[in-house]
Amino acid sequence: QVQVAESGGGLVQPGGSLRLSCAASGSTRSIRTMGWYRQAPGQTRELVADITSNGNTNYADSVKGRFTISRENAKSTVYLQMSSLQPEDTALYYCQVIAVDTTSTVFVSWGQGTQVTVSS
């Protein structure tokens, strides 16, 4: 099993930047994809970006060109660098980790979420 812990959220003015971090622990050798999702009040949770173990990335159209996802496999950590933040980016940001064990069973782990608020 994999445990996940996010950090780095906070309050930022429009146009500002933040970097989120997510550290995984436990059976980290089985980790495949790591990603970030977000959920605004009254909205469904949506994918922001994810990254595979070999570095392939995928972004939501709404964040392309503004957000960058990266990972350090040796530290089992994924980052989300967010720039040009707008009020519509305000949400609870969750880290997701997908792991596959030796029996090919897929495990999906979520963090508790970190709040990002963009406001003047």
Side-chain angles (χ1 to χ4, degrees):
Q1 297 293 334
V2 176
Q3 294 76 46
V4 178
E6 306 104 333
S7 61
L11 173 64
V12 63
Q13 292 186 341
S17 299
L18 275 177
R19 189 174 87 150
L20 305 182
S21 300
C22 169
S25 60
S27 302
T28 57
R29 292 180 67 182
S30 62
I31 291 174
R32 300 295 182 264
T33 301
M34 303 180 79
W36 290 94
Y37 286 70
R38 66 186 181 187
Q39 187 168 17
Q43 304 291 320
T44 57
R45 191 175 297 188
E46 62 175 2
L47 173 69
V48 176
D50 61 23
I51 182 168
T52 65
S53 55
N54 58 6
N56 292 326
T57 59
N58 177 42
Y59 293 92
D61 287 342
S62 59
V63 306
K64 284 181 181 176
R66 301 188 299 123
F67 292 10
T68 301
I69 190 170
S70 61
R71 67 190 277 178
E72 288 188 74
N73 289 330
K75 295 183 179 181
S76 301
T77 300
V78 63
Y79 306 97
L80 185 68
Q81 178 66 48
M82 304 183 292
S83 302
S84 302
L85 283 161
Q86 300 302 317
E88 52 265 34
D89 295 314
T90 295
L92 192 58
Y93 283 68
Y94 295 92
C95 179
Q96 182 202 64
V97 172
I98 299 175
V100 181
D101 72 6
T102 55
T103 67
S104 299
T105 301
V106 178
F107 297 92
V108 181
S109 301
W110 293 91
Q112 294 297 308
T114 185
Q115 179 67 38
V116 172
T117 302
V118 185
S119 175
S120 56

